[in-house]
Amino acid sequence: MTRSRKFRAAATAAVLAALTASGAVATASAKPPAGPAKVTACGAFFDDFNYSSRTDPNFTGHDWSVRTGAGGPGIDGTWTAANVSFPTVDGQKSLQLKATTNGTAGGTTQAQVQQNTEPFFAGTYATRFKFSDTPAGGNDGDLVNQTFYAISPLDYDWDPTYSELDISEYLPNGGWGETGPVDFITSWNTYQEDPFDGWRISTARRWSHAGWHTLVATVGDGHVKYYIDGSLAADHIDDGDGHTVYPRRPMTLNYNEWFIDLTGHSGGTSTYVQSADWVYYAKNEVLTPSQATARVNSYRSSGTTHADTISC
């Protein structure tokens, strides 16, 4: 599986550096704990994505930002703020990301939303996510990637503290050597940018994932476990060659939608969308998928649309 990683972690570092320089954020310490963190309850993060727009002061006040400017992955320089919105999707207020292309770099736009700081490490990650197999408009066939992941900066090639958990990278039209729909779940040790080479383990689910799914990842006791709709999809420990894929430093939390390349385009302009109903993280606490969902339901039933107690 050939996978283009160039610019992604570097772009993460650039986004965080720019925000920090402007006084917008103070990044968390990158020093990793000694070994797997003890799994005990502490803090949590929850967001119901109940915002009016990407410029809603509550959205930015809750430490979210929308990516613009240059960098990868995908088509360089096409990250577009206007591609992020908060419509009602299937009855629920949701974060929606859009990616469009007419088959040229100049006619392509991609979308990314991220938390600005890096407090996400051991514990439980969860989101309710809507994948799509077909475009919302235009011809089908583009090599689009619909994603939810946690990532740290790559400070240099083969950085031993680099950490990344691709909780889902869904390719409805294939790509990276795949010809049909596939969802990649990938845990990383580290890599070098150019020429690309990296240490990671990936689980491929080669069938349609169109529609709503609850994605859960747990990080604890040396394991990174991934669940989709309550069923265990992957249990990652190392890359098969002895390189651990357990995170070694805190990460940011991200959603993005982007094109692997433009070779699948067949004319006109095509628009693809992905949606997220909510996101939840339990710090240093490994939960079952049902326990994570119950926590989310408790927030929602009480009318809470956002909570952040990670720093406790």
Side-chain angles (χ1 to χ4, degrees):
M1 177 177 62
T2 301
R3 305 184 60 174
S4 175
R5 305 287 308 160
K6 193 172 183 180
F7 300 123
R8 178 145 124 178
T12 300
V15 169
L16 289 167
L19 290 164
T20 302
S22 69
V25 301
T27 56
S29 169
K31 183 179 180 181
K38 183 180 180 182
V39 180
T40 56
C42 178
F45 176 84
F46 168 71
D47 205 312
D48 206 20
F49 296 126
N50 189 23
Y51 302 109
S52 60
S53 72
R54 67 183 183 278
T55 60
D56 186 329
N58 288 324
F59 178 62
T60 55
H62 292 157
D63 218 22
W64 292 103
S65 63
V66 177
R67 184 176 172 189
T68 57
I75 313 307
D76 190 11
T78 63
W79 302 101
T80 306
N83 284 14
V84 176
S85 60
F86 294 91
T88 297
V89 181
D90 300 329
Q92 297 292 335
K93 194 76 168 175
S94 301
L95 165 68
Q96 188 167 91
L97 273 60
K98 179 172 66 175
T100 69
T101 188
N102 65 3
T104 70
T108 296
T109 63
Q110 305 181 142
Q112 179 170 322
V113 167
Q114 63 272 321
Q115 278 283 290
N116 296 325
T117 54
E118 304 168 60
F120 302 97
F121 187 66
T124 300
Y125 301 73
T127 190
R128 185 169 181 257
F129 194 106
K130 187 176 185 180
F131 300 110
S132 59
D133 274 0
T134 57
N139 295 339
D140 199 1
D142 295 285
L143 304 183
V144 67
N145 191 339
Q146 304 165 17
T147 75
F148 173 58
Y149 63 100
I151 191 172
S152 77
L154 180 78
D155 292 332
Y156 50 88
D157 283 350
W158 302 113
D159 176 358
T161 69
Y162 176 72
S163 302
E164 179 179 353
L165 307 176
D166 294 332
I167 297 169
S168 269
E169 289 189 299
Y170 183 56
L171 284 55
N173 293 317
W176 291 333
E178 302 287 338
T179 58
V182 57
D183 185 43
F184 285 114
I185 300 169
T186 307
S187 305
W188 288 81
N189 178 281
T190 190
Y191 73 99
Q192 71 173 20
E193 288 187 2
D194 191 14
F196 171 77
D197 191 11
W199 298 332
R200 80 280 195 193
I201 184 170
S202 190
T203 298
R205 294 162 52 93
R206 294 180 174 89
W207 59 86
S208 172
H209 287 59
W212 287 103
H213 298 280
T214 300
L215 313 177
V216 174
T218 62
V219 178
D221 299 323
H223 291 255
V224 185
K225 296 182 180 181
Y226 300 88
Y227 302 83
I228 298 182
D229 298 329
S231 297
L232 182 66
D235 182 355
H236 293 167
I237 300 172
D238 61 40
D239 69 344
D241 291 316
H243 304 113
T244 181
V245 293
Y246 194 92
R248 287 150 313 281
R249 65 190 286 184
M251 299 169 284
T252 64
L253 196 63
N254 302 257
Y255 295 88
N256 65 9
E257 185 169 32
W258 52 282
F259 296 102
I260 294 171
D261 58 46
L262 302 178
T263 59
H265 195 71
S266 59
T269 297
S270 300
T271 300
Y272 298 83
V273 297
Q274 66 181 49
S275 303
D277 182 13
W278 50 258
V279 65
Y280 174 71
Y281 169 72
K283 177 182 176 182
N284 292 342
E285 191 175 11
V286 171
L287 304 176
T288 66
S290 61
Q291 287 173 328
T293 302
R295 298 273 183 92
V296 170
N297 291 339
S298 179
Y299 282 121
R300 301 181 92 175
S301 64
S302 70
T304 301
T305 58
H306 177 268
D308 185 352
T309 59
I310 293 179
S311 61
C312 75

